Amino acid sequence: MVVQIEDSQLVKQYIQGDERAIEALINRHNSRLTGFIYSKVGDRELTEDIFQDTFMKVIRTLKKGAYNEEGKFLPWVMRIAHNLVIDHFRKHNRMPMYNSKESYNIFSLLGDDKLNAEKQLIKEQIDSDLLKMIKELPEDQQEVLEMRIYKDMSFKEISDNTGVSINTALGRMRYALINLRKLVEANSIVLTN
């Protein structure tokens, strides 16, 4: 009978200097993680690149001592891979290319559902990142930003609802946007798709 060492134990061993422990973790989760990445990108070479980048991030995080063991090693690794996939699509803004040739093919102009799924994945990540950053703003800035952006209220309506002058509402909105930009830069977040 073969006893399989828990992921958490392998993580501890790796942090204590046992390089074989990270190799065991990589081998254990290789096929599942590779399959997950490939299902998102559809390209073997890109899958391998993202897989390697994922484990480079895992190794750096473990070596820094920044990993918080909660018995959720694989979901954590999958989340890193998911974020790297999104980063890839944000950076490369994948769009189907139409190459002009003598023969015209209507199918070259039709949409690609896979790209729409990619755009949806990127949009969801952008929305999630933005909401997290908004929650880091001071409460008065959050309130004005949410009323203006999400409720489409005028500054006059915001002023009436919050009991502050229009100039104060405008100032809070300005500072909210300035602070959001700082958070975007500090966290190296890309907010385009």
Side-chain angles (χ1 to χ4, degrees):
M1 184 172 123
V2 177
V3 177
Q4 186 170 347
I5 301 172
E6 294 286 324
D7 286 353
S8 58
Q9 187 59 40
L10 287 170
V11 168
K12 283 180 192 168
Q13 289 174 3
Y14 178 69
I15 291 170
Q16 293 168 353
D18 183 355
E19 295 292 325
R20 292 172 301 168
I22 195 70
E23 185 180 339
L25 285 166
I26 291 170
N27 290 336
R28 178 178 295 171
H29 300 299
N30 185 337
S31 62
R32 185 155 180 210
L33 189 59
T34 300
F36 170 76
I37 297 168
Y38 185 78
S39 74
K40 305 292 181 210
V41 300
D43 178 270
R44 283 276 162 220
E45 285 183 29
L46 182 56
T47 297
E48 285 301 315
D49 289 346
I50 292 175
F51 179 87
Q52 288 174 4
D53 290 346
T54 299
F55 270 96
M56 291 305 297
K57 269 195 164 189
V58 167
I59 289 167
R60 277 194 302 271
T61 303
L62 292 175
K63 285 192 176 194
K64 279 189 215 167
Y67 174 67
N68 184 13
E69 175 57 53
E70 297 173 355
K72 297 179 180 179
F73 179 78
L74 182 59
W76 174 64
V77 173
M78 299 282 268
R79 185 71 189 161
I80 292 171
H82 173 82
N83 290 341
L84 288 171
V85 167
I86 288 172
D87 289 348
H88 167 78
F89 288 129
R90 283 181 181 165
K91 286 177 188 165
H92 295 91
N93 201 5
R94 288 197 13 189
M95 293 295 293
M97 297 299 291
Y98 172 69
N99 295 323
S100 175
K101 296 179 186 166
E102 286 185 31
S103 63
Y104 178 76
N105 184 350
I106 186 67
F107 295 107
S108 64
L109 296 177
L110 295 178
D112 184 344
D113 289 341
K114 185 174 166 190
L115 291 173
N116 291 335
E118 290 167 4
K119 283 184 178 182
Q120 183 60 35
L121 188 67
I122 292 168
K123 183 187 178 315
E124 288 171 6
Q125 186 65 44
I126 289 171
D127 290 347
S128 170
D129 290 345
L130 195 55
L131 285 173
K132 286 177 192 169
M133 288 186 295
I134 289 172
K135 289 185 185 339
E136 292 183 39
L137 294 174
E139 202 170 306
D140 58 346
Q141 292 174 21
Q142 279 184 42
E143 182 181 38
V144 171
L145 187 80
E146 288 171 5
M147 287 180 178
R148 181 75 178 144
I149 304 296
Y150 295 108
K151 296 179 182 173
D152 200 27
M153 295 171 72
S154 70
F155 284 105
K156 170 81 172 103
E157 292 170 318
I158 293 169
S159 170
D160 293 342
N161 279 304
T162 58
V164 299
S165 71
I166 292 175
N167 283 339
T168 300
L170 284 165
R172 288 178 181 174
M173 183 67 178
R174 179 174 175 268
Y175 285 116
L177 294 175
I178 289 169
N179 289 331
L180 275 177
R181 281 190 198 103
K182 287 178 184 175
L183 288 169
V184 166
E185 288 173 16
N187 293 300
S188 302
I189 294 173
V190 179
L191 293 176
T192 60
N193 69 7

